[in-house]
């Protein structure tokens, strides 16, 4: 992996809409909170499959899938939160985006994250020279903003891949707020207020995060 780099981008629709009509329908459902997409592939010219994490409202999400004319079949696991596998029909923009992905020399690192404003956050990995014209094939309806770039270290990225999406959110909030500075610039109570949970929940998350991350440095873990 010598010479490999990564670029993390925020991709948004020029008109502020989700990239697929099914995403637009889900966005209008306040009871549903979606998480990252762990798998997204084209299986023929007109359909795709996805494995998505649902953080809340899985039952309502299932109802949306039932009613969508784009969904061919689906399966869910979990209760209020869990995962949904869907086989769905592609619209024109999604088809072109996935065609661009397949033609690119860059690798899309999973999962694909979504932000509250509807932006999709994607990390691309490849040789440094492959980024020179990496975004030339992106459909014109899509706006791409580079938010982070650097040398690709799969060990570090796999280490943080041990964390759930919620744990990564808590960790990012803690680091950004200065929780790990010396002296600390915030407390668990301050993080709890920012995250909208109890201090006890923050403490539990941080203990699990630290256990999972630090265990990755121990031989044999």
């Amino acid at each position: 992996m010598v010479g490999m780099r990564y670029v993390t981008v925020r991709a948004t629709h020029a008109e502020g809409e989700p990239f697929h009509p099914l995403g637009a329908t889900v966005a209008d459902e306040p009871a549903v909170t979606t998480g990252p997409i762990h798998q997204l592939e084209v299986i023929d010219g007109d359909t795709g499959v996805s494995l998505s994490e649902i953080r809340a409202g899985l039952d309502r999400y299932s109802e949306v899938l039932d009613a969508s004319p784009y969904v061919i079949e689906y399966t869910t696991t979990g209760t209020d939160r869990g995962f949904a596998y869907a086989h769905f029909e592609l619209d024109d923009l999604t088809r072109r985006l996935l065609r661009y992905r397949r033609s690119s020399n860059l690798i899309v690192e999973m999962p694909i994250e979504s932000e509250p404003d509807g932006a999709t956050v994607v990390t691309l990995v490849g040789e440094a020279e492959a980024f020179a014209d990496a975004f030339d094939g992106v459909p014109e309806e899509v706006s791409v903003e580079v938010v982070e770039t650097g040398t690709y270290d799969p060990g570090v990225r796999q280490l943080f891949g041990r964390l759930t999406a919620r744990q990564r959110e808590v960790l990012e909030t803690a680091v950004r707020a200065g929780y790990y500075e010396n002296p600390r610039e915030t407390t668990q109570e301050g993080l709890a207020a920012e995250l909208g949970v109890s201090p006890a929940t923050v403490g539990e998350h941080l203990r699990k995060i630290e256990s999972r991350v630090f265990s990755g440095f121990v031989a044999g873990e």
Side-chain angles (χ1 to χ4, degrees), residues 57-96:
L58 185 60
D59 286 345
R60 179 58 187 146
Y61 187 76
S62 298
E63 294 174 355
V64 171
L65 296 182
D66 267 329
S68 174
Y70 287 92
V71 176
I72 299 169
E73 59 180 342
Y74 73 91
T75 302
T76 62
T77 61
T79 52
D80 182 58
R81 60 184 301 161
F83 291 85
Y85 166 87
H87 179 200
F88 60 96
E89 295 180 357
L90 304 174
D91 68 325
D92 179 62
L93 177 57
T94 307
R95 183 182 297 107
R96 285 184 285 129

Side-chain angles (χ1 to χ4, degrees), residues 104-128:
S104 173
N105 291 325
L106 300 175
I107 297 170
V108 175
E109 185 178 67
M110 305 305 284
I112 298 172
E113 301 280 356
S114 296
E115 295 192 337
D117 64 357
T120 298
V121 180
V122 183
T123 295
L124 305 170
V125 179
E127 299 288 346

Side-chain angles (χ1 to χ4, degrees), residues 203-219:
E204 181 180 359
H205 277 306
L206 291 175
R207 284 191 295 274
K208 289 181 178 179
I209 289 166
E210 291 161 2
S211 175
R212 290 189 181 189
V213 171
F214 293 149
S215 69
F217 292 104
V218 180

